[in-house]
Every structure is written in C-alpha cells, then in structure tokens.
Amino acid sequence: EAGVVQSPRYKIIEKKQPVAFWCNPISGHNTLYWYRQNLGQGPELLIRYENEEAVDDSQLPKDRFSAERLKGVDSTLKIQPAELGDSAVYLCASSALAGGHYNEQFFGPGTRLTVL
Amino acid sequence: AQRVTQPEKLLSVFKGAPVELKCNYSYSGSPELFWYVQYSRQRLQLLLRHISRESIKGFTADLNKGETSFHLKKPFAQEEDSAMYYCALSVTNFGNEKLTFGTGTRLTIIP
C-alpha cells in the first residue's frame, strides 16, 4: 500500500502563473482533505470532500483557488494566478467514512510550492 | 473558534530524561485532542488521541479539561523521539471533521 500519493513533490513557479497539485487517496477512503502548511505553522484545512462533494470549503480562497474531485477518488487543487504568499507545503489527507467515530487521517508527503 | 497553542517551538532534552511537550486549547465544548508526529523525511502521522487512553512508543497524554491542556509526556526520552510534534483538536465526535493544528514543537533528543 503506497498510502496517499501526491504529485509533484516540488514546484517552483513565478508569480501570476497557474499551478496544480494532484492527490490520490488511499483506496476505499471516502473523505479527502487539502491542507496548506506555511513555514513554521501547523497545517490549515483548505477543503474537505466527502466522496465528490465539497462539504467544507470555508477556508478556501475562492478568488484564486479551486479544487475538484471527479468520481470521488483523485483530487486536483489549482491556484490561478499564484502569489508570493502562496509559497507553502500543500498536504493531502484521506480517511475512511465516518460511521459516527473519528477516523484517522492519513497524510501524503506534500507538495512544496515556491512562488518567485 | 477553536485554537490550539503549543508554547515551545523548540525543545531539547537529554537521552533518558523525561519529556513534556505542552499543548493548550480553547474551545467551549467537548473536543477531541490528538498528537501528530512528523519524523525527518517522513509523513505527518497520528501518534495518539485522548479517547484511546493508550501509550504509544512510551508517550502518554491526558486531557485536562479544567486547565484545557493535553500535554504529551514520556518518562525516558530516546534518540528516535526526535521529531516535529503537533497537537490538534477536532470539535465533534461525529467522524471526519477538520483538525485544527497547533504550530508544532521540534523535539531534539541529545545523545
């Protein structure tokens, strides 16, 4: 089991350019999360999916960020256009369906984005 | 809104000495508290959660609602404990809710 897969691992772009991150969750996990981790901070949730539905996107800056999870499996997070302040590590996590109990979130290795 | 505070960004402890990583939270209801750990070049992973009341790798953490704290403790530090530790809070018991993380504490065990 490879765990949560993310690509690319590193990305360097110039400001105003678009960028996209891809995540493949653990097989069978219905819930998918995107977090952003700024330097020296803990991860902060951007969006949470239950299958293909975004059930919490309150922290997603919708003017430049977008996300999708087609078919309820893989997910893509996009930034267009990128700003200097978007430099961070973008983490994807997945967990099994709730069932009334907390289910452990499994994290991917992250994508480190540098905006120049 | 909920908040998690980890007052120490860095903590160095000699091997064999006791370890305590502090975590305080603010939330008016009944939260679930967790400790996540990230070893060098590895992914963020769950270490333990308060409802399990178990010891993982010698670490324990007790939820103190009066002091709104969830400190992580280990009686005898080992070199392999060196890592980044994050305290996190989930506001409901109903499954897949979002986690609110603290800023983390980097623990270094001195040989």
Side-chain angles (χ1 to χ4, degrees), chain A residues 4 31 33 37 40-43 45 48 95-96 98 100-102 104-105 107, chain B residues 9 32 34 36 43-44 46 49 86 93-99 101-103:
Chain A
V4 176
T31 308
Y33 312 76
Q37 186 172 19
Q41 302 294 316
L45 181 72
R48 173 168 66 95
S95 63
H101 301 283
Y102 177 80
E104 179 179 349
Q105 294 185 26
F107 284 82
Chain B
K9 277 203 170 297
E32 281 201 64
F34 308 85
Y36 275 76
R43 305 170 183 214
L44 191 61
L46 179 65
R49 53 196 188 203
Y86 294 94
N93 293 333
F94 301 124
N96 298 322
E97 303 297 334
K98 72 176 183 181
L99 291 171
F101 286 87
T103 53

PDB file of all heavy atoms in Angstrom, chain A residues 4 31 33 37 40-43 45 48 95-96 98 100-102 104-105 107, chain B residues 9 32 34 36 43-44 46 49 86 93-99 101-103:
ATOM      1  N   VAL A   4      -1.230   7.700   0.709  1.00  0.00           N
ATOM      2  CA  VAL A   4      -1.703   8.832  -0.077  1.00  0.00           C
ATOM      3  C   VAL A   4      -0.566   9.298  -0.991  1.00  0.00           C
ATOM      4  O   VAL A   4       0.560   9.504  -0.526  1.00  0.00           O
ATOM      5  CB  VAL A   4      -2.160   9.985   0.836  1.00  0.00           C
ATOM      6  CG1 VAL A   4      -2.555  11.202   0.005  1.00  0.00           C
ATOM      7  CG2 VAL A   4      -3.304   9.532   1.731  1.00  0.00           C
ATOM      8  N   THR A  31     -13.258  10.197   2.330  1.00  0.00           N
ATOM      9  CA  THR A  31     -13.038  11.593   2.712  1.00  0.00           C
ATOM     10  C   THR A  31     -11.636  12.029   2.329  1.00  0.00           C
ATOM     11  O   THR A  31     -10.666  11.317   2.592  1.00  0.00           O
ATOM     12  CB  THR A  31     -13.246  11.779   4.220  1.00  0.00           C
ATOM     13  OG1 THR A  31     -14.522  11.241   4.579  1.00  0.00           O
ATOM     14  CG2 THR A  31     -13.225  13.252   4.585  1.00  0.00           C
ATOM     15  N   TYR A  33      -8.965  15.500   2.163  1.00  0.00           N
ATOM     16  CA  TYR A  33      -8.697  16.835   2.685  1.00  0.00           C
ATOM     17  C   TYR A  33      -7.527  17.444   1.923  1.00  0.00           C
ATOM     18  O   TYR A  33      -6.547  16.761   1.613  1.00  0.00           O
ATOM     19  CB  TYR A  33      -8.293  16.787   4.156  1.00  0.00           C
ATOM     20  CG  TYR A  33      -9.172  15.962   5.064  1.00  0.00           C
ATOM     21  CD1 TYR A  33      -9.104  14.571   5.063  1.00  0.00           C
ATOM     22  CD2 TYR A  33     -10.037  16.572   5.970  1.00  0.00           C
ATOM     23  CE1 TYR A  33      -9.888  13.810   5.913  1.00  0.00           C
ATOM     24  CE2 TYR A  33     -10.824  15.821   6.833  1.00  0.00           C
ATOM     25  CZ  TYR A  33     -10.743  14.441   6.791  1.00  0.00           C
ATOM     26  OH  TYR A  33     -11.514  13.692   7.647  1.00  0.00           O
ATOM     27  N   GLN A  37       0.270  24.274   4.644  1.00  0.00           N
ATOM     28  CA  GLN A  37       1.145  24.450   5.787  1.00  0.00           C
ATOM     29  C   GLN A  37       2.189  25.507   5.461  1.00  0.00           C
ATOM     30  O   GLN A  37       3.116  25.273   4.682  1.00  0.00           O
ATOM     31  CB  GLN A  37       1.814  23.140   6.186  1.00  0.00           C
ATOM     32  CG  GLN A  37       2.624  23.264   7.463  1.00  0.00           C
ATOM     33  CD  GLN A  37       3.124  21.925   7.972  1.00  0.00           C
ATOM     34  OE1 GLN A  37       3.183  20.937   7.243  1.00  0.00           O
ATOM     35  NE2 GLN A  37       3.484  21.878   9.243  1.00  0.00           N
ATOM     36  N   GLY A  40       6.751  27.189   9.533  1.00  0.00           N
ATOM     37  CA  GLY A  40       6.674  27.433  10.963  1.00  0.00           C
ATOM     38  C   GLY A  40       5.283  27.333  11.559  1.00  0.00           C
ATOM     39  O   GLY A  40       5.079  27.676  12.726  1.00  0.00           O
ATOM     40  N   GLN A  41       4.344  26.863  10.758  1.00  0.00           N
ATOM     41  CA  GLN A  41       2.956  26.747  11.214  1.00  0.00           C
ATOM     42  C   GLN A  41       2.473  25.303  11.096  1.00  0.00           C
ATOM     43  O   GLN A  41       3.104  24.473  10.432  1.00  0.00           O
ATOM     44  CB  GLN A  41       2.044  27.650  10.384  1.00  0.00           C
ATOM     45  CG  GLN A  41       2.424  29.114  10.409  1.00  0.00           C
ATOM     46  CD  GLN A  41       2.271  29.736  11.764  1.00  0.00           C
ATOM     47  OE1 GLN A  41       1.276  29.513  12.453  1.00  0.00           O
ATOM     48  NE2 GLN A  41       3.273  30.504  12.181  1.00  0.00           N
ATOM     49  N   GLY A  42       1.340  25.025  11.727  1.00  0.00           N
ATOM     50  CA  GLY A  42       0.706  23.737  11.534  1.00  0.00           C
ATOM     51  C   GLY A  42      -0.147  23.753  10.281  1.00  0.00           C
ATOM     52  O   GLY A  42      -0.435  24.813   9.720  1.00  0.00           O
ATOM     53  N   PRO A  43      -0.558  22.587   9.829  1.00  0.00           N
ATOM     54  CA  PRO A  43      -1.432  22.532   8.647  1.00  0.00           C
ATOM     55  C   PRO A  43      -2.768  23.233   8.912  1.00  0.00           C
ATOM     56  O   PRO A  43      -3.304  23.164  10.018  1.00  0.00           O
ATOM     57  CB  PRO A  43      -1.648  21.035   8.443  1.00  0.00           C
ATOM     58  CG  PRO A  43      -0.504  20.371   9.142  1.00  0.00           C
ATOM     59  CD  PRO A  43      -0.192  21.245  10.307  1.00  0.00           C
ATOM     60  N   LEU A  45      -6.690  23.572   7.200  1.00  0.00           N
ATOM     61  CA  LEU A  45      -7.581  22.967   6.218  1.00  0.00           C
ATOM     62  C   LEU A  45      -8.023  23.981   5.172  1.00  0.00           C
ATOM     63  O   LEU A  45      -8.430  25.099   5.486  1.00  0.00           O
ATOM     64  CB  LEU A  45      -8.824  22.404   6.912  1.00  0.00           C
ATOM     65  CG  LEU A  45      -9.822  21.713   5.987  1.00  0.00           C
ATOM     66  CD1 LEU A  45      -9.259  20.371   5.513  1.00  0.00           C
ATOM     67  CD2 LEU A  45     -11.167  21.508   6.679  1.00  0.00           C
ATOM     68  N   ARG A  48     -12.533  20.080   2.366  1.00  0.00           N
ATOM     69  CA  ARG A  48     -12.780  18.677   2.703  1.00  0.00           C
ATOM     70  C   ARG A  48     -13.867  18.130   1.775  1.00  0.00           C
ATOM     71  O   ARG A  48     -14.898  18.776   1.588  1.00  0.00           O
ATOM     72  CB  ARG A  48     -13.209  18.540   4.160  1.00  0.00           C
ATOM     73  CG  ARG A  48     -13.650  17.139   4.554  1.00  0.00           C
ATOM     74  CD  ARG A  48     -13.784  17.023   6.076  1.00  0.00           C
ATOM     75  NE  ARG A  48     -14.851  17.857   6.617  1.00  0.00           N
ATOM     76  CZ  ARG A  48     -16.093  17.446   6.865  1.00  0.00           C
ATOM     77  NH1 ARG A  48     -16.437  16.207   6.560  1.00  0.00           N
ATOM     78  NH2 ARG A  48     -16.976  18.253   7.384  1.00  0.00           N
ATOM     79  N   SER A  95      -9.322   9.773   4.751  1.00  0.00           N
ATOM     80  CA  SER A  95      -9.785   8.930   5.847  1.00  0.00           C
ATOM     81  C   SER A  95     -11.007   8.154   5.386  1.00  0.00           C
ATOM     82  O   SER A  95     -11.667   8.514   4.412  1.00  0.00           O
ATOM     83  CB  SER A  95     -10.106   9.765   7.089  1.00  0.00           C
ATOM     84  OG  SER A  95     -11.155  10.663   6.838  1.00  0.00           O
ATOM     85  N   ALA A  96     -11.302   7.099   6.138  1.00  0.00           N
ATOM     86  CA  ALA A  96     -12.447   6.264   5.791  1.00  0.00           C
ATOM     87  C   ALA A  96     -13.729   6.977   6.198  1.00  0.00           C
ATOM     88  O   ALA A  96     -13.714   7.970   6.928  1.00  0.00           O
ATOM     89  CB  ALA A  96     -12.328   4.921   6.495  1.00  0.00           C
ATOM     90  N   ALA A  98     -17.080   8.082   8.042  1.00  0.00           N
ATOM     91  CA  ALA A  98     -17.206   8.354   9.465  1.00  0.00           C
ATOM     92  C   ALA A  98     -17.819   7.218  10.267  1.00  0.00           C
ATOM     93  O   ALA A  98     -17.180   6.621  11.112  1.00  0.00           O
ATOM     94  CB  ALA A  98     -18.002   9.630   9.673  1.00  0.00           C
ATOM     95  N   GLY A 100     -19.799   7.638  12.600  1.00  0.00           N
ATOM     96  CA  GLY A 100     -20.032   8.094  13.965  1.00  0.00           C
ATOM     97  C   GLY A 100     -18.787   8.106  14.831  1.00  0.00           C
ATOM     98  O   GLY A 100     -18.829   8.465  15.988  1.00  0.00           O
ATOM     99  N   HIS A 101     -17.655   7.697  14.301  1.00  0.00           N
ATOM    100  CA  HIS A 101     -16.424   7.702  15.078  1.00  0.00           C
ATOM    101  C   HIS A 101     -15.349   8.448  14.314  1.00  0.00           C
ATOM    102  O   HIS A 101     -15.348   8.466  13.101  1.00  0.00           O
ATOM    103  CB  HIS A 101     -15.938   6.273  15.349  1.00  0.00           C
ATOM    104  CG  HIS A 101     -16.938   5.445  16.100  1.00  0.00           C
ATOM    105  ND1 HIS A 101     -17.140   5.570  17.447  1.00  0.00           N
ATOM    106  CD2 HIS A 101     -17.806   4.507  15.677  1.00  0.00           C
ATOM    107  CE1 HIS A 101     -18.084   4.715  17.824  1.00  0.00           C
ATOM    108  NE2 HIS A 101     -18.501   4.068  16.770  1.00  0.00           N
ATOM    109  N   TYR A 102     -14.409   9.051  15.066  1.00  0.00           N
ATOM    110  CA  TYR A 102     -13.309   9.717  14.388  1.00  0.00           C
ATOM    111  C   TYR A 102     -12.475   8.689  13.663  1.00  0.00           C
ATOM    112  O   TYR A 102     -12.117   7.653  14.201  1.00  0.00           O
ATOM    113  CB  TYR A 102     -12.425  10.466  15.389  1.00  0.00           C
ATOM    114  CG  TYR A 102     -11.253  11.108  14.709  1.00  0.00           C
ATOM    115  CD1 TYR A 102     -11.389  12.305  14.049  1.00  0.00           C
ATOM    116  CD2 TYR A 102     -10.020  10.467  14.670  1.00  0.00           C
ATOM    117  CE1 TYR A 102     -10.321  12.876  13.379  1.00  0.00           C
ATOM    118  CE2 TYR A 102      -8.947  11.024  14.004  1.00  0.00           C
ATOM    119  CZ  TYR A 102      -9.101  12.236  13.365  1.00  0.00           C
ATOM    120  OH  TYR A 102      -8.050  12.795  12.704  1.00  0.00           O
ATOM    121  N   GLU A 104      -8.913   8.095  11.578  1.00  0.00           N
ATOM    122  CA  GLU A 104      -7.580   8.658  11.425  1.00  0.00           C
ATOM    123  C   GLU A 104      -7.377   9.218  10.033  1.00  0.00           C
ATOM    124  O   GLU A 104      -7.746   8.587   9.034  1.00  0.00           O
ATOM    125  CB  GLU A 104      -6.534   7.591  11.721  1.00  0.00           C
ATOM    126  CG  GLU A 104      -5.105   8.060  11.581  1.00  0.00           C
ATOM    127  CD  GLU A 104      -4.119   6.967  11.914  1.00  0.00           C
ATOM    128  OE1 GLU A 104      -4.555   5.928  12.448  1.00  0.00           O
ATOM    129  OE2 GLU A 104      -2.923   7.134  11.626  1.00  0.00           O
ATOM    130  N   GLN A 105      -6.804  10.396   9.970  1.00  0.00           N
ATOM    131  CA  GLN A 105      -6.441  10.984   8.692  1.00  0.00           C
ATOM    132  C   GLN A 105      -5.025  10.539   8.340  1.00  0.00           C
ATOM    133  O   GLN A 105      -4.112  10.636   9.160  1.00  0.00           O
ATOM    134  CB  GLN A 105      -6.513  12.508   8.771  1.00  0.00           C
ATOM    135  CG  GLN A 105      -7.926  13.032   8.971  1.00  0.00           C
ATOM    136  CD  GLN A 105      -8.013  14.535   8.935  1.00  0.00           C
ATOM    137  OE1 GLN A 105      -7.198  15.199   8.321  1.00  0.00           O
ATOM    138  NE2 GLN A 105      -9.038  15.079   9.593  1.00  0.00           N
ATOM    139  N   PHE A 107      -1.868  11.179   5.884  1.00  0.00           N
ATOM    140  CA  PHE A 107      -1.356  12.282   5.103  1.00  0.00           C
ATOM    141  C   PHE A 107      -0.425  11.810   3.991  1.00  0.00           C
ATOM    142  O   PHE A 107       0.295  10.814   4.133  1.00  0.00           O
ATOM    143  CB  PHE A 107      -0.594  13.257   6.007  1.00  0.00           C
ATOM    144  CG  PHE A 107      -1.498  14.111   6.841  1.00  0.00           C
ATOM    145  CD1 PHE A 107      -2.043  13.621   8.024  1.00  0.00           C
ATOM    146  CD2 PHE A 107      -1.825  15.401   6.439  1.00  0.00           C
ATOM    147  CE1 PHE A 107      -2.899  14.404   8.792  1.00  0.00           C
ATOM    148  CE2 PHE A 107      -2.674  16.196   7.198  1.00  0.00           C
ATOM    149  CZ  PHE A 107      -3.207  15.692   8.377  1.00  0.00           C
TER     150      PHE A 107
ATOM    151  N   LYS B   9       8.469  26.301  20.540  1.00  0.00           N
ATOM    152  CA  LYS B   9       8.783  25.924  19.154  1.00  0.00           C
ATOM    153  C   LYS B   9       9.896  24.884  19.124  1.00  0.00           C
ATOM    154  O   LYS B   9       9.919  24.029  18.249  1.00  0.00           O
ATOM    155  CB  LYS B   9       9.208  27.168  18.377  1.00  0.00           C
ATOM    156  CG  LYS B   9       8.056  27.991  17.851  1.00  0.00           C
ATOM    157  CD  LYS B   9       8.474  28.832  16.682  1.00  0.00           C
ATOM    158  CE  LYS B   9       7.287  29.477  16.001  1.00  0.00           C
ATOM    159  NZ  LYS B   9       6.382  28.481  15.430  1.00  0.00           N
ATOM    160  N   GLU B  32     -12.109  16.679  20.804  1.00  0.00           N
ATOM    161  CA  GLU B  32     -11.210  15.529  20.768  1.00  0.00           C
ATOM    162  C   GLU B  32      -9.809  16.075  20.515  1.00  0.00           C
ATOM    163  O   GLU B  32      -9.627  16.941  19.667  1.00  0.00           O
ATOM    164  CB  GLU B  32     -11.591  14.580  19.633  1.00  0.00           C
ATOM    165  CG  GLU B  32     -12.770  13.699  19.961  1.00  0.00           C
ATOM    166  CD  GLU B  32     -12.800  12.472  19.078  1.00  0.00           C
ATOM    167  OE1 GLU B  32     -11.880  11.639  19.155  1.00  0.00           O
ATOM    168  OE2 GLU B  32     -13.756  12.350  18.287  1.00  0.00           O
ATOM    169  N   PHE B  34      -5.594  15.337  19.816  1.00  0.00           N
ATOM    170  CA  PHE B  34      -4.687  14.388  19.176  1.00  0.00           C
ATOM    171  C   PHE B  34      -3.258  14.934  19.234  1.00  0.00           C
ATOM    172  O   PHE B  34      -3.039  16.139  19.319  1.00  0.00           O
ATOM    173  CB  PHE B  34      -5.041  14.206  17.692  1.00  0.00           C
ATOM    174  CG  PHE B  34      -6.483  13.881  17.441  1.00  0.00           C
ATOM    175  CD1 PHE B  34      -7.438  14.883  17.334  1.00  0.00           C
ATOM    176  CD2 PHE B  34      -6.892  12.565  17.297  1.00  0.00           C
ATOM    177  CE1 PHE B  34      -8.762  14.586  17.106  1.00  0.00           C
ATOM    178  CE2 PHE B  34      -8.219  12.267  17.060  1.00  0.00           C
ATOM    179  CZ  PHE B  34      -9.148  13.272  16.967  1.00  0.00           C
ATOM    180  N   TYR B  36      -0.019  14.535  16.640  1.00  0.00           N
ATOM    181  CA  TYR B  36       0.541  14.048  15.397  1.00  0.00           C
ATOM    182  C   TYR B  36       2.054  14.255  15.441  1.00  0.00           C
ATOM    183  O   TYR B  36       2.552  15.188  16.068  1.00  0.00           O
ATOM    184  CB  TYR B  36      -0.047  14.790  14.189  1.00  0.00           C
ATOM    185  CG  TYR B  36      -1.352  14.226  13.694  1.00  0.00           C
ATOM    186  CD1 TYR B  36      -2.539  14.462  14.376  1.00  0.00           C
ATOM    187  CD2 TYR B  36      -1.393  13.441  12.551  1.00  0.00           C
ATOM    188  CE1 TYR B  36      -3.732  13.931  13.923  1.00  0.00           C
ATOM    189  CE2 TYR B  36      -2.582  12.910  12.086  1.00  0.00           C
ATOM    190  CZ  TYR B  36      -3.739  13.158  12.776  1.00  0.00           C
ATOM    191  OH  TYR B  36      -4.932  12.630  12.322  1.00  0.00           O
ATOM    192  N   ARG B  43       6.131  11.294   6.617  1.00  0.00           N
ATOM    193  CA  ARG B  43       4.859  11.990   6.567  1.00  0.00           C
ATOM    194  C   ARG B  43       4.337  12.284   7.964  1.00  0.00           C
ATOM    195  O   ARG B  43       4.727  11.640   8.941  1.00  0.00           O
ATOM    196  CB  ARG B  43       3.824  11.124   5.851  1.00  0.00           C
ATOM    197  CG  ARG B  43       4.250  10.691   4.505  1.00  0.00           C
ATOM    198  CD  ARG B  43       3.340   9.649   3.921  1.00  0.00           C
ATOM    199  NE  ARG B  43       3.844   9.217   2.623  1.00  0.00           N
ATOM    200  CZ  ARG B  43       3.094   8.873   1.619  1.00  0.00           C
ATOM    201  NH1 ARG B  43       1.769   8.880   1.751  1.00  0.00           N
ATOM    202  NH2 ARG B  43       3.621   8.499   0.470  1.00  0.00           N
ATOM    203  N   LEU B  44       3.453  13.236   8.005  1.00  0.00           N
ATOM    204  CA  LEU B  44       2.732  13.511   9.235  1.00  0.00           C
ATOM    205  C   LEU B  44       1.862  12.301   9.571  1.00  0.00           C
ATOM    206  O   LEU B  44       1.166  11.768   8.709  1.00  0.00           O
ATOM    207  CB  LEU B  44       1.864  14.743   9.019  1.00  0.00           C
ATOM    208  CG  LEU B  44       1.207  15.398  10.226  1.00  0.00           C
ATOM    209  CD1 LEU B  44       2.251  15.894  11.212  1.00  0.00           C
ATOM    210  CD2 LEU B  44       0.329  16.547   9.764  1.00  0.00           C
ATOM    211  N   LEU B  46      -0.492  10.111  12.844  1.00  0.00           N
ATOM    212  CA  LEU B  46      -1.115  10.158  14.152  1.00  0.00           C
ATOM    213  C   LEU B  46      -0.261   9.415  15.171  1.00  0.00           C
ATOM    214  O   LEU B  46       0.153   8.284  14.927  1.00  0.00           O
ATOM    215  CB  LEU B  46      -2.509   9.529  14.080  1.00  0.00           C
ATOM    216  CG  LEU B  46      -3.308   9.476  15.382  1.00  0.00           C
ATOM    217  CD1 LEU B  46      -3.647  10.880  15.874  1.00  0.00           C
ATOM    218  CD2 LEU B  46      -4.584   8.652  15.181  1.00  0.00           C
ATOM    219  N   ARG B  49      -4.435   9.678  20.494  1.00  0.00           N
ATOM    220  CA  ARG B  49      -5.593  10.532  20.705  1.00  0.00           C
ATOM    221  C   ARG B  49      -6.159  10.262  22.091  1.00  0.00           C
ATOM    222  O   ARG B  49      -6.021   9.153  22.625  1.00  0.00           O
ATOM    223  CB  ARG B  49      -6.654  10.299  19.644  1.00  0.00           C
ATOM    224  CG  ARG B  49      -7.076   8.852  19.476  1.00  0.00           C
ATOM    225  CD  ARG B  49      -7.799   8.713  18.159  1.00  0.00           C
ATOM    226  NE  ARG B  49      -8.404   7.420  17.974  1.00  0.00           N
ATOM    227  CZ  ARG B  49      -8.704   6.904  16.786  1.00  0.00           C
ATOM    228  NH1 ARG B  49      -8.446   7.596  15.695  1.00  0.00           N
ATOM    229  NH2 ARG B  49      -9.275   5.728  16.683  1.00  0.00           N
ATOM    230  N   TYR B  86       2.890  17.875  16.626  1.00  0.00           N
ATOM    231  CA  TYR B  86       1.773  18.802  16.501  1.00  0.00           C
ATOM    232  C   TYR B  86       0.609  18.322  17.357  1.00  0.00           C
ATOM    233  O   TYR B  86       0.188  17.168  17.267  1.00  0.00           O
ATOM    234  CB  TYR B  86       1.290  18.891  15.049  1.00  0.00           C
ATOM    235  CG  TYR B  86       2.272  19.501  14.103  1.00  0.00           C
ATOM    236  CD1 TYR B  86       3.139  18.701  13.368  1.00  0.00           C
ATOM    237  CD2 TYR B  86       2.338  20.890  13.924  1.00  0.00           C
ATOM    238  CE1 TYR B  86       4.044  19.268  12.486  1.00  0.00           C
ATOM    239  CE2 TYR B  86       3.239  21.457  13.047  1.00  0.00           C
ATOM    240  CZ  TYR B  86       4.093  20.634  12.339  1.00  0.00           C
ATOM    241  OH  TYR B  86       4.995  21.190  11.467  1.00  0.00           O
ATOM    242  N   ASN B  93     -17.382  14.595  17.748  1.00  0.00           N
ATOM    243  CA  ASN B  93     -17.081  13.173  17.785  1.00  0.00           C
ATOM    244  C   ASN B  93     -17.728  12.432  16.624  1.00  0.00           C
ATOM    245  O   ASN B  93     -17.787  11.223  16.625  1.00  0.00           O
ATOM    246  CB  ASN B  93     -17.564  12.553  19.094  1.00  0.00           C
ATOM    247  CG  ASN B  93     -16.788  13.070  20.276  1.00  0.00           C
ATOM    248  OD1 ASN B  93     -15.644  13.469  20.142  1.00  0.00           O
ATOM    249  ND2 ASN B  93     -17.401  13.070  21.432  1.00  0.00           N
ATOM    250  N   PHE B  94     -18.237  13.203  15.649  1.00  0.00           N
ATOM    251  CA  PHE B  94     -19.056  12.565  14.637  1.00  0.00           C
ATOM    252  C   PHE B  94     -18.292  12.211  13.371  1.00  0.00           C
ATOM    253  O   PHE B  94     -18.846  12.219  12.289  1.00  0.00           O
ATOM    254  CB  PHE B  94     -20.243  13.475  14.309  1.00  0.00           C
ATOM    255  CG  PHE B  94     -21.072  13.765  15.520  1.00  0.00           C
ATOM    256  CD1 PHE B  94     -21.328  15.055  15.914  1.00  0.00           C
ATOM    257  CD2 PHE B  94     -21.568  12.721  16.284  1.00  0.00           C
ATOM    258  CE1 PHE B  94     -22.077  15.316  17.046  1.00  0.00           C
ATOM    259  CE2 PHE B  94     -22.316  12.975  17.422  1.00  0.00           C
ATOM    260  CZ  PHE B  94     -22.572  14.279  17.799  1.00  0.00           C
ATOM    261  N   GLY B  95     -17.034  11.919  13.482  1.00  0.00           N
ATOM    262  CA  GLY B  95     -16.320  11.375  12.338  1.00  0.00           C
ATOM    263  C   GLY B  95     -15.374  12.342  11.695  1.00  0.00           C
ATOM    264  O   GLY B  95     -14.536  12.916  12.353  1.00  0.00           O
ATOM    265  N   ASN B  96     -15.517  12.545  10.424  1.00  0.00           N
ATOM    266  CA  ASN B  96     -14.486  13.210   9.658  1.00  0.00           C
ATOM    267  C   ASN B  96     -14.637  14.720   9.661  1.00  0.00           C
ATOM    268  O   ASN B  96     -14.997  15.329   8.673  1.00  0.00           O
ATOM    269  CB  ASN B  96     -14.491  12.666   8.227  1.00  0.00           C
ATOM    270  CG  ASN B  96     -14.174  11.190   8.218  1.00  0.00           C
ATOM    271  OD1 ASN B  96     -13.348  10.720   8.972  1.00  0.00           O
ATOM    272  ND2 ASN B  96     -14.849  10.454   7.363  1.00  0.00           N
ATOM    273  N   GLU B  97     -14.348  15.326  10.785  1.00  0.00           N
ATOM    274  CA  GLU B  97     -14.350  16.765  10.866  1.00  0.00           C
ATOM    275  C   GLU B  97     -12.933  17.288  10.697  1.00  0.00           C
ATOM    276  O   GLU B  97     -11.971  16.558  10.744  1.00  0.00           O
ATOM    277  CB  GLU B  97     -14.906  17.207  12.213  1.00  0.00           C
ATOM    278  CG  GLU B  97     -16.301  16.684  12.493  1.00  0.00           C
ATOM    279  CD  GLU B  97     -17.326  17.196  11.507  1.00  0.00           C
ATOM    280  OE1 GLU B  97     -17.098  18.279  10.938  1.00  0.00           O
ATOM    281  OE2 GLU B  97     -18.341  16.523  11.296  1.00  0.00           O
ATOM    282  N   LYS B  98     -12.822  18.588  10.551  1.00  0.00           N
ATOM    283  CA  LYS B  98     -11.499  19.141  10.314  1.00  0.00           C
ATOM    284  C   LYS B  98     -10.708  19.201  11.603  1.00  0.00           C
ATOM    285  O   LYS B  98     -11.243  19.310  12.693  1.00  0.00           O
ATOM    286  CB  LYS B  98     -11.597  20.523   9.703  1.00  0.00           C
ATOM    287  CG  LYS B  98     -12.065  21.613  10.663  1.00  0.00           C
ATOM    288  CD  LYS B  98     -12.035  22.948   9.973  1.00  0.00           C
ATOM    289  CE  LYS B  98     -12.436  24.072  10.910  1.00  0.00           C
ATOM    290  NZ  LYS B  98     -12.436  25.380  10.219  1.00  0.00           N
ATOM    291  N   LEU B  99      -9.408  19.096  11.447  1.00  0.00           N
ATOM    292  CA  LEU B  99      -8.487  19.229  12.552  1.00  0.00           C
ATOM    293  C   LEU B  99      -7.943  20.647  12.590  1.00  0.00           C
ATOM    294  O   LEU B  99      -7.605  21.212  11.559  1.00  0.00           O
ATOM    295  CB  LEU B  99      -7.320  18.254  12.390  1.00  0.00           C
ATOM    296  CG  LEU B  99      -7.631  16.766  12.540  1.00  0.00           C
ATOM    297  CD1 LEU B  99      -6.423  15.942  12.143  1.00  0.00           C
ATOM    298  CD2 LEU B  99      -8.052  16.451  13.961  1.00  0.00           C
ATOM    299  N   PHE B 101      -4.739  22.497  14.013  1.00  0.00           N
ATOM    300  CA  PHE B 101      -3.407  22.159  14.498  1.00  0.00           C
ATOM    301  C   PHE B 101      -2.769  23.330  15.238  1.00  0.00           C
ATOM    302  O   PHE B 101      -3.024  24.496  14.934  1.00  0.00           O
ATOM    303  CB  PHE B 101      -2.486  21.799  13.325  1.00  0.00           C
ATOM    304  CG  PHE B 101      -2.756  20.455  12.713  1.00  0.00           C
ATOM    305  CD1 PHE B 101      -3.694  20.316  11.702  1.00  0.00           C
ATOM    306  CD2 PHE B 101      -2.058  19.333  13.131  1.00  0.00           C
ATOM    307  CE1 PHE B 101      -3.941  19.073  11.130  1.00  0.00           C
ATOM    308  CE2 PHE B 101      -2.286  18.094  12.552  1.00  0.00           C
ATOM    309  CZ  PHE B 101      -3.233  17.972  11.553  1.00  0.00           C
ATOM    310  N   GLY B 102      -1.886  22.990  16.172  1.00  0.00           N
ATOM    311  CA  GLY B 102      -1.004  23.982  16.752  1.00  0.00           C
ATOM    312  C   GLY B 102       0.180  24.232  15.824  1.00  0.00           C
ATOM    313  O   GLY B 102       0.276  23.630  14.753  1.00  0.00           O
ATOM    314  N   THR B 103       1.075  25.095  16.248  1.00  0.00           N
ATOM    315  CA  THR B 103       2.207  25.462  15.403  1.00  0.00           C
ATOM    316  C   THR B 103       3.357  24.468  15.478  1.00  0.00           C
ATOM    317  O   THR B 103       4.304  24.572  14.711  1.00  0.00           O
ATOM    318  CB  THR B 103       2.733  26.853  15.766  1.00  0.00           C
ATOM    319  OG1 THR B 103       2.988  26.886  17.170  1.00  0.00           O
ATOM    320  CG2 THR B 103       1.718  27.932  15.415  1.00  0.00           C
TER     321      THR B 103
END
